[in-house]
Amino acid sequence: MYKSIKEINERIADGSVRVVTAEEMPDIVDELGVEGALREVDVVTTGTFGAMCSSGAFLNLGHPEIPIRMEKMWLNNVEAHAGLAAVDCYLGATQESVTRRDEYGGAHVIEDLIGGRPVELHATAKGTDCYPRHSITNEFVLSELNQAIMLNPRNSYQCYNAATNMSDKAIRTYMGYLLPGHRNITYSGAGCLSPLPNDPTFSVIGSGTPIFLGGANGIIVGEGTQHSPGAGFGTLMTSGDMKQMSTDYIRAATMSGYGVTMYVGVGVPIPVMNEEIVKHTAVRDEDLKTTIVDYGTPYRDRPTIKEVTYAELKSGKIEIDGEDIRTSPLSSYKKAREIAGELKKRVENGTFTMALATRPIDAVKRNKPMAEKNAVVHVNELMISQFVTITGDESVKEAARRLSKGDTNHLPVIDKDNHLIGIVTTYDVSKAFANDDEDCTVSKIMTKNVISITPDAPIDLAARMLQKNNIGSLVVIDNSRRVLGLLNSYDLGDLISGGWHK
């Protein structure tokens, strides 16, 4: 049995179309079977609502009375890219305000426009014979723009890794605030309601597919940036008219310690044309897997901690090393349901019709990392391998003796298995002597939360850690926290002046 797009659109037109959400479809398939569900259901609607940083909008401001070719421009003090044409720009969602920094950014400007609030423009130019004006300051609202077209390079991930932090220090990331020692897990995506898990082979989703975007009837442009469906990470490039959008489905946000982002609502209707589509749209959270990765490792290829299903993530806890770790979503399942439901209504009332993709999207492509042309200097190439350590039960006097003989102001404190448990500096020892505490043990004066790094880390990361934490040395450790060496800030001096690469 096969249904054509024409048949489905005829049912939409005459009001006989049967539309269900992706959340409802699995039970229908269980009850009616694949063939029965194909006869019964015409369209399955999906939805997701989460942070989608790779988003933005093209704006056309119109020509003022005295023309200007804008070369630099700011909207509510957020810089927009003006290198397009005289009065066109692209405003990126994550661009931050020059005055308010991460409290306000491109996403907030977009939300303000959609919400009907005025936005201030300031632009500068060199001035030419045909565009003589040198600057302009003006205020406008969305309805006064000729065009405001949202074009998002990367939306609606097919799947996204869940995040935890195995390090001993809390970190702020685009996956939220991650507590040390894997004390929490965050995840994104709506699971079975998300668009791409309902069409993993991209049999109907492609360029030209009509979608719900931020409240507007939008369209899929094609594959999104970083599209990697061969690894389970397909993405979509989407577009829609901002004048049709609603702040119910487009919201600005700031991830503390990371920056500005924008929450975007995306819904894709899946025309149920054959049995393969029925099987794909019968997916449940129990069928969808992702991996928990360690965001405490600051490299592209982060260690995998565990493979889990979305059902497990949504349960609120995941067991790791015999402990129940709390999970929390960064996206809203409630809003995803609302989007799938709203899209269902639009199809049923005839304001949203189906269309075949004009160009297919590659379903097996894998994303590639940056092709770095220069060899990167790593920590193990500059670290000191001959170093002095001390144990926590030895005296401060002994620490002073070892520091005076060594070529460093830092003394790693280890246990009997050479595992790092702390660090003592010349300052710590001097302070102990000043307080007549020279006979106490090292464990009494050591710093327990040691800033450490692994030997395969790039040297620019090490430099950033030294600067960020205002310290003079990093302890180099392996994955078991055994001490391998020291990297001192003064060892980076020549490298900094000569460049980071060999």
Side-chain angles (χ1 to χ4, degrees):
M1 181 180 173
Y2 173 85
K3 279 185 289 188
S4 68
I5 289 290
K6 181 181 178 181
E7 290 177 87
I8 294 173
N9 281 334
E10 286 173 350
R11 294 179 186 183
I12 293 173
D14 66 22
S16 64
V17 68
R18 174 73 190 279
V19 187
V20 302
T21 69
E23 196 174 25
E24 299 167 324
M25 188 62 167
D27 288 339
I28 293 173
V29 175
D30 284 349
E31 179 185 353
L32 303 178
V34 172
E35 190 175 336
L38 177 58
R39 283 194 299 268
E40 180 70 19
V41 178
D42 300 306
V43 180
V44 174
T45 60
T46 64
T48 188
F49 184 81
M52 302 185 193
C53 293
S54 188
S55 298
F58 284 103
L59 309 176
N60 180 272
L61 306 173
H63 289 283
E65 183 176 354
I66 300 175
I68 182 173
R69 179 189 174 193
M70 300 178 187
E71 294 175 344
K72 290 285 186 179
M73 62 183 299
W74 296 263
L75 303 173
N76 284 354
N77 286 327
V78 178
E79 187 171 9
H81 179 64
L84 300 170
V87 291
D88 288 318
C89 70
Y90 184 80
L91 177 65
T94 64
Q95 184 70 36
E96 295 182 359
S97 165
V98 296
T99 53
R100 298 171 62 183
R101 313 305 300 174
D102 63 2
E103 292 181 6
Y104 189 91
H108 297 84
V109 176
I110 290 170
E111 183 184 334
D112 282 343
L113 285 170
I114 293 171
R117 294 180 285 275
V119 167
E120 183 183 68
L121 161 72
H122 177 65
T124 61
K126 63 186 177 187
T128 67
D129 289 342
C130 52
Y131 293 108
R133 196 163 186 167
H134 288 269
S135 68
I136 187 170
T137 298
N138 194 30
E139 188 178 83
F140 61 86
V141 293
L142 181 62
S143 62
E144 294 172 321
L145 297 179
N146 290 317
Q147 285 84 29
I149 307 299
M150 185 171 287
L151 180 65
N152 300 339
R154 183 170 66 253
N155 281 176
S156 190
Y157 262 100
Q158 183 176 357
C159 173
Y160 209 85
N161 290 326
T164 193
N165 172 23
M166 302 296 284
S167 76
D168 54 8
K169 184 178 180 181
I171 57 175
R172 292 174 171 85
T173 75
Y174 60 80
M175 291 296 288
Y177 187 74
L178 297 175
L179 298 168
H182 64 75
R183 298 212 306 269
N184 69 325
I185 298 167
T186 61
Y187 66 96
S188 189
C192 68
L193 264 178
S194 292
L196 293 187
N198 283 275
D199 186 21
T201 61
F202 293 85
S203 61
V204 292
I205 292 177
S207 296
T209 298
I211 63 170
F212 175 104
L213 180 64
N217 289 358
I219 196 168
I220 293 173
V221 177
E223 68 175 49
T225 54
Q226 294 186 187
H227 178 67
S228 190
F233 290 85
T235 66
L236 300 173
M237 185 177 292
T238 64
S239 183
D241 187 350
M242 281 174 54
K243 294 183 179 182
Q244 298 177 12
M245 293 184 183
S246 165
T247 53
D248 288 340
Y249 306 110
I250 296 290
R251 299 301 299 270
T254 295
M255 295 285 190
S256 177
Y258 170 71
V260 176
T261 186
M262 189 165 76
Y263 274 68
V264 180
V266 180
V268 181
I270 311 291
V272 183
M273 301 166 63
N274 54 50
E275 292 187 2
E276 179 190 17
I277 294 173
V278 171
K279 292 174 184 177
H280 287 155
T281 54
V283 68
R284 296 180 183 273
D285 286 330
E286 292 82 357
D287 305 319
L288 296 174
K289 295 181 179 180
T290 189
T291 53
I292 302 172
V293 300
D294 176 21
Y295 272 63
T297 300
Y299 315 133
R300 182 187 66 241
D301 298 320
R302 298 183 172 99
T304 296
I305 307 302
K306 188 173 185 178
E307 186 177 71
V308 293
T309 66
Y310 268 86
E312 292 173 307
L313 288 169
K314 290 180 180 180
S315 73
K317 61 183 180 181
I318 296 288
E319 184 270 324
I320 297 178
D321 296 336
E323 296 181 66
D324 283 338
I325 311 301
R326 183 180 177 182
T327 66
S328 55
L330 295 173
S331 51
S332 170
Y333 197 72
K334 178 182 178 182
K335 294 295 287 187
R337 275 178 168 167
E338 184 180 327
I339 289 165
E342 173 62 24
L343 185 51
K344 177 181 176 179
K345 290 178 186 175
R346 293 186 187 187
V347 176
E348 288 175 334
N349 65 25
T351 60
F352 200 110
T353 55
M354 301 296 101
L356 286 175
T358 57
R359 185 178 64 208
I361 290 177
D362 192 332
V364 297
K365 181 178 181 179
R366 283 181 177 265
N367 191 45
K368 296 182 292 185
M370 179 185 289
E372 296 184 70
K373 300 298 188 298
N374 297 314
V376 178
V377 178
H378 295 91
V379 167
N380 61 358
E381 299 175 62
L382 290 178
M383 73 181 189
I384 300 170
S385 299
Q386 301 296 321
F387 56 92
V388 182
T389 61
I390 196 167
T391 59
D393 55 4
E394 293 183 80
S395 70
V396 171
K397 283 183 179 179
E398 178 60 23
R401 187 184 68 81
R402 295 187 193 179
L403 283 167
S404 67
K405 287 187 175 183
D407 190 26
T408 180
N409 294 321
H410 301 81
L411 198 60
V413 185
I414 60 172
D415 63 15
K416 60 182 178 63
D417 297 316
N418 195 36
H419 295 140
L420 182 66
I421 61 171
I423 195 165
V424 170
T425 67
T426 303
Y427 173 77
D428 298 325
V429 171
S430 300
K431 186 177 177 182
F433 271 86
N435 294 330
D436 296 324
D437 289 333
E438 65 268 24
D439 293 320
C440 74
T441 62
V442 166
S443 62
K444 300 290 186 181
I445 68 166
M446 71 182 186
T447 299
K448 294 181 180 179
N449 294 324
V450 186
I451 308 300
S452 59
I453 197 165
T454 56
D456 57 347
I459 207 70
D460 53 346
L461 173 64
R464 180 174 177 271
M465 291 173 68
L466 287 165
Q467 183 180 32
K468 180 180 178 181
N469 294 285
N470 194 27
I471 55 177
S473 185
L474 291 170
V475 183
V476 185
I477 59 173
D478 64 15
N479 291 333
S480 300
R481 295 191 64 77
R482 284 191 288 268
V483 179
L484 303 177
L486 288 174
L487 182 70
N488 297 313
S489 57
Y490 53 76
D491 293 325
L492 304 184
D494 292 341
L495 189 64
I496 292 172
S497 61
W500 291 117
H501 302 291
K502 292 178 179 178

